[in-house]
Amino acid sequence: MNIDDLKNTWNDDVSYNTPEISIEHKNKINLPLEKIRKNMRMEFWSTIGILIFGFAVVWIPVPEAPFKFKFYLTVLLFSMVIIISFFFSKFFKLYRDIGNPMMKTYDSLKDLMHQFDLNKQYYLSFMLSFVPFLVCELIIVIEFLPHRKPLGNLQTATTVISTLAVGLFGLFFIGKYWYRIFYGKYVQQIENLINELKK
């Protein structure tokens, strides 16, 4: 068999003939997809609101706070913006793909499920990426806010390490729970519909 025959065979095998999804299944799939898009929009705008609130809290209500305290917190907030921008660029790609779905074939749905799996990992990484910021903010607060009684070395170390441990596990479990409530149950609905199409 020569190369031209191989090319022709390959082209014949490409799944142009993959069966299209019925209108009924498309309607069932569109509902959870729209719920996911709605939750992604809500999460994006609430994150923007939280960041604006964070900058306002640092600079507006505490005019007598030391400049270094405000400066360090501002640098941390800007660092958070960079991290958030990276992860939201990943989420936006999925948001755009859901908004313009080629929901005509079983293969396109399988590809969408693969994207959901990737974004679940991004989502958990996104939540865990805030642990270092939590620890840094705690250190800044310990160093700059006045205490009635100065913290000893052991107290400071215990506070930072316990915050790191609680923050790590807390954000991981909150991230998993949040994902399941806002996205996971809808992804599961789509997965169930794909399993129906297999039959």
Side-chain angles (χ1 to χ4, degrees), residues 18-36:
T18 304
E20 288 199 359
I21 298 170
S22 68
I23 300 290
E24 180 190 353
H25 278 95
K26 281 183 187 175
N27 290 336
K28 284 183 184 175
I29 288 166
N30 283 336
L31 182 63
L33 286 178
E34 194 46 49
K35 293 276 190 186
I36 289 171

Side-chain angles (χ1 to χ4, degrees), residues 98-109:
I98 293 172
N100 302 305
M102 298 296 294
M103 293 299 159
K104 293 184 179 176
T105 65
Y106 173 74
D107 289 340
S108 63
L109 284 176

Side-chain angles (χ1 to χ4, degrees):
M1 187 180 271
N2 63 30
I3 291 183
D4 290 332
D5 290 337
L6 283 171
K7 283 182 185 175
N8 290 334
T9 304
W10 173 261
N11 289 333
D12 290 341
D13 285 343
V14 174
S15 59
Y16 294 116
N17 299 323
T18 304
E20 288 199 359
I21 298 170
S22 68
I23 300 290
E24 180 190 353
H25 278 95
K26 281 183 187 175
N27 290 336
K28 284 183 184 175
I29 288 166
N30 283 336
L31 182 63
L33 286 178
E34 194 46 49
K35 293 276 190 186
I36 289 171
R37 279 174 57 83
K38 181 182 173 188
N39 287 340
M40 289 174 97
R41 282 193 301 269
M42 180 273 302
E43 193 158 15
F44 174 76
W45 289 113
S46 60
T47 303
I48 297 294
I50 289 168
L51 286 172
I52 291 170
F53 176 76
F55 281 108
V57 163
V58 169
W59 286 98
I60 295 170
V62 196
E64 70 279 357
F67 173 77
K68 279 186 180 180
F69 175 75
K70 293 182 173 186
F71 178 70
Y72 291 156
L73 286 179
T74 303
V75 168
L76 272 179
L77 284 169
F78 272 117
S79 303
M80 283 183 190
V81 169
I82 293 167
I83 299 294
I84 288 168
S85 300
F86 169 77
F87 281 107
F88 269 106
S89 70
K90 302 291 182 189
F91 299 149
F92 182 70
K93 181 182 181 307
L94 176 63
Y95 179 85
R96 195 179 56 217
D97 289 346
I98 293 172
N100 302 305
M102 298 296 294
M103 293 299 159
K104 293 184 179 176
T105 65
Y106 173 74
D107 289 340
S108 63
L109 284 176
K110 283 202 307 186
D111 180 55
L112 185 65
M113 286 307 299
H114 176 67
Q115 288 186 57
F116 281 134
D117 286 340
L118 281 176
N119 275 273
K120 182 179 181 181
Q121 301 309 316
Y122 288 142
Y123 200 83
L124 290 175
S125 301
F126 172 67
M127 295 301 279
L128 291 176
S129 69
F130 283 95
V131 172
F133 294 113
L134 181 67
V135 172
C136 289
E137 285 170 18
L138 178 67
I139 291 169
I140 291 169
V141 166
I142 288 172
E143 288 298 314
F144 285 96
L145 289 187
H147 301 283
R148 279 184 285 179
K149 184 177 163 185
L151 295 176
N153 292 338
L154 183 61
Q155 251 184 319
T156 303
T158 305
T159 305
V160 171
I161 290 168
S162 58
T163 301
L164 177 61
V166 170
L168 188 63
F169 290 108
L171 284 171
F172 177 76
F173 288 114
I174 288 169
K176 282 190 82 165
Y177 175 77
W178 188 272
Y179 180 85
R180 192 175 76 235
I181 294 299
F182 283 91
Y183 305 107
K185 61 184 178 183
Y186 302 116
V187 172
Q188 187 62 52
Q189 288 175 22
I190 296 167
E191 192 170 5
N192 293 340
L193 289 166
I194 290 173
N195 291 334
E196 276 182 36
L197 291 171
K198 277 185 193 175
K199 297 173 185 176

